Amino acid sequence: MTIEPARQASLVSMFLAQAASRPDRPFLWRRDRGEWSARTWSECRREVSEAYRGLRSLGLARGDRVVLVSENRPEWLLADLAIMATGCSTVPAYTTNTVESHRHVLSNTKARGAIVSTPAL
């Protein structure tokens, strides 16, 4: 089934429609220790829903900005979808930024939240 982008209200609604129409099919792949594994659409939908609920429980709401600091990996997309589902705006930042650069991004954007890929970040 092909979904026409013009018929969808947002990227999040397109994602949810695809997840509903193909729940057990592979969606995102990752390579770990030389082995490839896939997450299904339904697994990804569950992860996005959990992240969405977490963002909402922190008090984040439509119009807020959330900094996303992560390497290029499947979780980046899932976090971005959760941020969009909350009505927030994603502020991407490089993992290689200095502390001062991160401070600048956080203060300049007036971000109310941040998602980072590692405790060091």
Side-chain angles (χ1 to χ4, degrees):
M1 175 174 127
T2 303
I3 294 180
E4 297 293 325
R7 296 176 193 232
Q8 300 296 323
S10 68
L11 289 174
V12 174
S13 63
M14 290 174 69
F15 165 74
L16 294 173
Q18 288 292 338
S21 71
R22 54 185 64 196
D24 298 322
R25 294 194 51 196
F27 173 50
L28 293 176
W29 292 83
R30 122 172 285 127
R31 187 174 180 182
D32 186 30
R33 298 183 186 131
E35 297 291 322
W36 286 96
S37 61
R39 284 186 177 125
T40 65
W41 283 89
S42 63
E43 290 169 330
C44 291
R45 179 184 179 144
R46 180 181 41 78
E47 291 179 39
V48 169
S49 295
E50 289 172 3
Y52 163 82
R53 285 191 300 276
L55 292 169
R56 293 298 303 231
S57 73
L58 293 172
L60 294 167
R62 182 167 304 283
D64 289 337
R65 292 174 188 88
V66 179
V67 173
L68 179 52
V69 188
S70 175
E71 303 77 12
N72 183 13
R73 57 199 244 180
E75 292 82 4
W76 195 102
L77 172 64
L78 300 177
D80 189 38
L81 285 166
I83 292 166
M84 286 189 282
T86 309
C88 297
S89 296
T90 301
V91 178
Y94 293 110
T95 58
T96 55
N97 279 358
T98 63
V99 171
E100 190 56 39
S101 293
H102 283 302
R103 187 176 291 121
H104 173 75
V105 169
L106 288 165
S107 65
N108 191 49
T109 63
K110 296 180 176 52
R112 292 202 57 233
I115 297 175
V116 298
S117 61
T118 67
L121 290 169

